[in-house]
């Protein structure tokens, strides 16, 4: 595996689990097998945020894996919402919504992903993605995941995740 980015193990994990990176996605990024499809999906989201292309390819099932992947071509991811996840035997599904910054607002990628477990390891197999633009109301929660209302965060450009736009 390639060198990991300079992210302290004590920082909150990008996947939104509210765990530290060292107690969440970092072990997977270092090669440890994950126990559920949701844990793999969260580690893949964090890999996109952190630019870990080698991990993304290694966690993608060989039958559907692209030859190359450049996470630097992805949008600026700001939050993750897991809608549902399940596993039965060697098959799993995760429905998620990943929010990204989009100009002066936010967009989303929503997907129901299929996972497969082989030789004790979960792999991303395929997904059915759809994208759109978020249009939160002034009193809705900010899509960045800060917990503040959109009017006090995103609209006021106090949102740390879009303030550099």
């Amino acid at each position: 595996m390639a060198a990991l980015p300079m992210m302290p193990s004590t920082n909150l994990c990008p996947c939104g689990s509210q765990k530290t990176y060292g107690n969440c996605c970092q072990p997977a990024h270092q090669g440890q097998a994950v126990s559920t499809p949701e844990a793999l999906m969260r580690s893949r989201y964090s890999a996109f945020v952190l630019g870990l292309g080698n991990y993304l390819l290694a966690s993608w099932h060989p039958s559907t894996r692209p030859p190359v992947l450049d996470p630097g071509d992805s949008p600026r991811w700001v939050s993750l919402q897991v809608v549902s996840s399940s596993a039965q035997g060697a098959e799993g599904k995760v429905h998620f919504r990943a929010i990204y910054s989009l100009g002066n607002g936010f967009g989303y990628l929503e997907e129901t992903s299929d996972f497969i477990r082989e030789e004790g390891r979960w792999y991303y197999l395929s997904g059915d993605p759809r994208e759109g633009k978020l249009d939160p109301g002034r009193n809705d929660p900010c899509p960045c995941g800060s917990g503040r209302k959109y009017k006090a965060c995103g609209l006021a450009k106090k949102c740390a995740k879009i303030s550099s736009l």
Side-chain angles (χ1 to χ4, degrees):
M1 292 241 165
L4 293 178
M6 298 301 292
M7 178 174 197
S9 297
T10 55
N11 282 16
L12 283 179
C13 192
C15 79
S17 67
Q18 300 305 307
K19 296 178 184 176
T20 63
Y21 177 60
N23 288 319
C24 193
C25 292
Q26 186 180 39
H29 294 163
Q30 293 174 332
Q32 183 176 320
V34 298
S35 58
T36 65
E38 181 178 336
L40 180 62
M41 190 277 309
R42 286 182 176 280
S43 71
R44 287 177 54 79
Y45 171 84
S46 292
F48 272 106
V49 170
L50 299 172
L52 302 176
N54 288 342
Y55 176 77
L56 291 165
L57 288 172
S59 61
W60 204 317
H61 193 267
S63 69
T64 57
R65 178 189 306 146
V68 293
L69 178 69
D70 182 3
D73 290 340
S74 359
R76 188 166 175 225
W77 300 104
V78 297
S79 68
L80 175 68
Q81 303 161 351
V82 175
V83 177
S84 64
S85 65
S86 63
Q88 187 166 6
E91 296 179 358
K93 286 197 178 294
V94 178
H95 178 191
F96 69 91
R97 181 181 264 203
I99 310 298
Y100 56 88
S101 62
L102 178 68
N104 61 355
F106 296 94
Y108 69 88
L109 173 102
E110 189 163 346
E111 180 174 302
T112 299
S113 303
D114 293 313
F115 295 84
I116 190 165
R117 186 174 54 206
E118 291 182 350
E119 297 179 13
R121 294 190 83 85
W122 284 102
Y123 294 93
Y124 171 80
L125 188 60
S126 63
D128 179 23
R130 52 192 181 282
E131 290 190 63
K133 183 177 184 220
L134 289 179
D135 191 19
R138 292 175 49 80
N139 291 315
D140 290 337
C142 187
C144 76
S146 68
R148 295 184 295 227
K149 289 185 178 182
Y150 183 59
K151 69 182 176 187
C153 190
L155 282 177
K157 301 296 185 242
K158 293 181 182 176
C159 177
K161 305 239 177 157
I162 65 168
S163 62
S164 65
L165 298 176

